Amino acid sequence: KSYTYNFDMKNIKTLNNLFVLDKRNEAISLIKSITKDIILYENTSINEIKNYYFKILMSISKVSIDIGSESEYQDKNSDFFWDIISKANTIFQIEKYIISKLNQIFDYKINKNNYSGNVFNIIRYIQNNYSDVKLSILKISNYTYLTPNHMCLIFKKETGKTINQFITELRIEKSKDLLKDKKLKLYEISINVGYCNQNYFTKIFKKNVGLNPSEYRGKYLI
């Protein structure tokens, strides 16, 4: 059977939404998923594949311009992007380049708040590891090479929040998104946002939102 990949433009819209929601990991996973799917369809035209990735890159570039990060690097025009894609020898080279652009934008979004390099690194580490049930002040301290006390002090000074408060708020926001998927059980959502104990997750969620996860799902989602 001769099947070719369906170049769904909805993926580009989804990617743009992930930028708005600051979902770095999910955005990268989407790109990897697209690549993985394309490889399954061997009869797909190489030109169509390159055109699709080009559209993705142009969409990423537009987001960069919108948030003001495009001036951070020189490859601003469509000719440059097309040159990168057309010269790529494998689909994985294109994927790697796109992911590097994604990281560039997400890093800029954090950095444009004028955080110091240390606080920037703390925030990025938390955003990349919030689902780790063992995430802790000590673990972040080991990553940043800062003492726990100094790290907590500069983070509170620059963000107005404690590190634990920041982690909790991020986890709650992520769990709200996951609650939109009614196929997911509460214990699955709990694990996905870094809580190994569902009851504790429910308690934290209610404290921050005013409703428990089930009530939130029932009240706000149809």
Side-chain angles (χ1 to χ4, degrees):
K1 291 182 179 179
S2 177
Y3 291 117
T4 57
Y5 179 74
N6 173 34
F7 295 97
D8 194 346
M9 292 301 121
K10 288 180 183 176
N11 283 328
I12 295 176
K13 186 177 180 181
T14 299
L15 189 62
N16 288 338
N17 289 337
L18 293 173
F19 276 124
V20 174
L21 297 169
D22 285 326
K23 295 188 172 185
R24 182 196 298 253
N25 292 346
E26 289 87 340
I28 291 172
S29 293
L30 176 61
I31 296 299
K32 289 183 176 180
S33 174
I34 290 169
T35 302
K36 189 177 178 182
D37 287 345
I38 288 174
I39 290 169
L40 296 175
Y41 297 88
E42 295 179 359
N43 295 314
T44 306
S45 158
I46 296 296
N47 284 335
E48 281 189 292
I49 293 171
K50 289 186 174 182
N51 277 325
Y52 189 57
Y53 279 119
F54 175 71
K55 287 175 182 175
I56 290 173
L57 264 176
M58 289 306 294
S59 177
I60 291 171
S61 179
K62 185 180 183 303
V63 171
S64 292
I65 293 167
D66 289 345
I67 67 169
S69 77
E70 192 67 34
S71 60
E72 296 294 302
Y73 47 89
Q74 297 303 310
D75 43 318
K76 302 173 185 179
N77 58 62
S78 58
D79 290 340
F80 182 93
F81 289 138
W82 182 249
D83 197 45
I84 290 284
I85 289 174
S86 61
K87 287 181 178 177
N89 294 317
T90 70
I91 193 172
F92 296 108
Q93 286 179 348
I94 300 174
E95 178 193 79
K96 184 179 179 182
Y97 181 75
I98 290 176
I99 289 173
S100 76
K101 284 286 157 254
L102 290 178
N103 277 319
Q104 217 167 25
I105 297 171
F106 280 110
D107 285 351
Y108 178 85
K109 286 186 78 176
I110 299 172
N111 217 16
K112 75 172 185 175
N113 291 311
N114 296 318
Y115 295 134
S116 65
N118 284 329
V119 170
F120 171 84
N121 286 334
I122 294 166
I123 292 173
R124 182 167 60 176
Y125 185 79
I126 292 170
Q127 289 183 331
N128 287 335
N129 295 278
Y130 69 88
S131 59
D132 179 4
V133 296
K134 294 183 178 179
L135 181 62
S136 65
I137 298 291
L138 185 59
K139 206 166 186 177
I140 302 168
S141 170
N142 290 336
Y143 171 78
T144 58
Y145 298 104
L146 298 169
T147 64
N149 284 344
H150 179 61
M151 185 179 72
C152 291
L153 191 67
I154 61 170
F155 191 88
K156 180 69 184 291
K157 184 179 179 181
E158 290 188 34
T159 67
K161 300 176 182 179
T162 66
I163 291 176
N164 283 329
Q165 186 181 353
F166 183 85
I167 293 171
T168 299
E169 288 179 1
L170 180 62
R171 285 173 165 172
I172 295 301
E173 287 308 307
K174 299 294 183 182
S175 66
K176 285 180 179 178
D177 288 328
L178 292 174
L179 283 164
K180 293 174 184 175
D181 184 352
K182 293 194 174 183
K183 293 177 184 175
L184 286 175
K185 306 290 185 186
L186 290 184
Y187 76 86
E188 292 176 310
I189 294 173
S190 174
I191 290 290
N192 278 328
V193 297
Y195 295 109
C196 56
N197 185 308
Q198 184 188 323
N199 290 332
Y200 181 68
F201 163 64
T202 299
K203 181 181 176 182
I204 293 294
F205 189 95
K206 185 163 187 176
K207 182 180 178 182
N208 283 269
V209 181
L211 302 167
N212 66 40
S214 296
E215 290 170 338
Y216 178 85
R217 178 178 260 172
K219 184 172 182 178
Y220 291 100
L221 306 175
I222 297 171

